[in-house]
């Protein structure tokens, strides 16, 4: 099996896809590879890392923590996603922790080369802007759900977002998702989430399978 070069890996990342061959070669010489263990921080809330981190493999969760150590999971990201660009652009500290949920391989691009790429390639700059706009929209949706939905609606939405289509009117969450994780995503206590999940199971909206996966059979659970 052929070993992928840094150029090969960078071409898989949307923001670099329109760089010229020369720009891509320069960029490939500027990145370094890192492997992070499960639980390690890629970026830390309240600190600067002065780098862009591009996920090659594995998954990471974006988590915001308050002064009382309460956590809210904002997103789960994977291969092709990147973090750290906001801090590189505005020069401020990271607004959330990004923590490896499994072993993660990442490419690291320093501040100077990141800014050089933005100045030299308008397509990359536009791609970064689009990425920021997408994150802003997701943040707006998160705020809206917290403000306008009750806990039942927020839990149902979190389950649907974590699921994959597995047939007509049938969604499946293949990977185990804990009550605590759901609670952190929807801004509720674990006890409240457990109660909601029990209600959903009793009403036939969800079913926990023997292998730990969860089947969702009724989308109308979101409208409770």
């Amino acid at each position: 099996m052929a070993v992928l070069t840094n150029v090969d890996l960078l071409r898989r990342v949307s923001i670099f896809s329109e760089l010229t061959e020369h720009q891509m070669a320069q960029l490939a010489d500027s990145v370094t590879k890192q492997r992070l263990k499960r639980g390690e921080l890629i970026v830390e809330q309240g600190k600067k890392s002065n780098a862009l981190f591009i996920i090659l493999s594995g998954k990471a969760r974006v988590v915001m923590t308050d002064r009382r150590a309460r956590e809210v999971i904002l997103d789960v990201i994977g291969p092709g996603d990147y973090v750290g660009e906001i801090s590189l652009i505005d020069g401020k500290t990271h607004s959330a922790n990004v923590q490896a949920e499994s072993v993660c391989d990442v490419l690291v691009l320093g501040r100077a080369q990141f800014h050089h790429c933005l100045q030299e390639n308008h397509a990359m700059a536009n791609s970064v802007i689009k990425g920021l706009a997408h994150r802003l929209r997701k943040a707006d949706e998160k705020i809206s759900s917290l403000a306008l939905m009750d806990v039942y609606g927020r839990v149902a939405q979190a389950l649907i977002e974590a699921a994959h289509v597995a047939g007509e009117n049938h969604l499946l969450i293949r990977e185990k998702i804990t009550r605590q994780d759901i609670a952190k995503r929807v801004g509720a206590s674990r006890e409240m989430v457990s109660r909601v999940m029990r209600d959903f199971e009793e009403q036939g909206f969800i079913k926990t399978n023997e292998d730990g996966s969860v089947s969702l059979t009724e989308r109308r659970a979101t409208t409770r």
Side-chain angles (χ1 to χ4, degrees), residues 2-222:
V3 177
L4 295 176
T5 66
N6 284 355
V7 170
D8 295 326
L9 294 171
L10 288 168
R11 288 205 181 282
R12 298 181 175 185
V13 183
S14 60
I15 60 172
F16 302 131
S17 61
E18 296 191 42
L19 294 180
T20 66
E21 292 294 332
H22 177 67
Q23 289 170 330
M24 189 68 78
Q26 285 186 319
L27 185 63
D29 290 336
S30 302
V31 295
T32 57
K33 296 178 185 176
Q34 286 187 9
R35 171 163 288 187
L36 295 101
K37 298 178 182 178
R38 183 177 184 272
E40 281 193 82
L41 290 176
I42 300 175
V43 302
E44 185 173 356
Q45 182 176 332
K47 295 187 177 181
K48 294 181 182 180
S49 55
N50 292 315
L52 181 77
F53 297 86
I54 305 152
I55 298 179
L56 300 176
S57 64
K59 293 197 306 182
R61 58 176 58 184
V62 183
V63 182
M64 186 173 286
T65 306
D66 68 10
R67 294 180 180 179
R68 296 170 60 184
R70 294 177 301 185
E71 296 182 343
V72 175
I73 298 175
L74 303 178
D75 201 2
V76 177
I77 58 178
D81 291 323
Y82 51 90
V83 296
E85 79 283 8
I86 296 176
S87 180
L88 290 178
I89 291 170
D90 66 13
K92 297 182 180 180
T93 58
H94 298 297
S95 58
N97 292 319
V98 179
Q99 186 178 39
E101 200 169 76
S102 61
V103 173
C104 285
D105 290 316
V106 301
L107 286 179
V108 185
L109 178 65
R111 172 187 290 274
Q113 190 60 37
F114 174 77
H115 282 287
H116 178 73
C117 285
L118 287 184
Q119 293 166 3
E120 292 292 317
N121 190 279
H122 294 301
M124 177 177 166
N126 286 335
S127 184
V128 170
I129 291 171
K130 288 179 181 177
L132 292 173
H134 175 69
R135 292 189 184 186
L136 180 59
R137 286 185 182 277
K138 290 190 72 172
D140 286 344
E141 291 172 0
K142 189 83 172 180
I143 293 168
S144 176
S145 69
L146 290 173
L148 302 177
M149 285 186 182
D150 63 9
V151 178
Y152 280 83
R154 299 203 300 270
V155 171
Q157 184 178 56
L159 292 173
I160 290 172
E161 289 175 353
H164 302 274
V165 176
E168 188 175 356
N169 298 322
H170 181 205
L171 299 176
L172 183 69
I173 301 175
R174 297 187 179 91
E175 298 179 3
K176 184 177 180 180
I177 182 169
T178 67
R179 304 290 194 267
Q180 187 62 42
D181 279 349
I182 297 172
K184 290 178 181 180
R185 294 187 189 200
V186 304
S189 68
R190 185 182 62 80
E191 293 75 16
M192 184 62 191
V193 168
S194 294
R195 193 178 103 188
V196 172
M197 294 286 282
R198 282 196 302 271
D199 284 353
F200 282 171
E201 287 177 341
E202 289 173 1
Q203 295 175 57
F205 293 149
I206 65 174
K207 176 185 177 183
T208 302
N209 304 311
E210 291 184 3
D211 61 1
S213 63
V214 177
S215 297
L216 285 67
T217 57
E218 293 282 351
R219 290 176 181 260
R220 59 190 175 89
T222 60

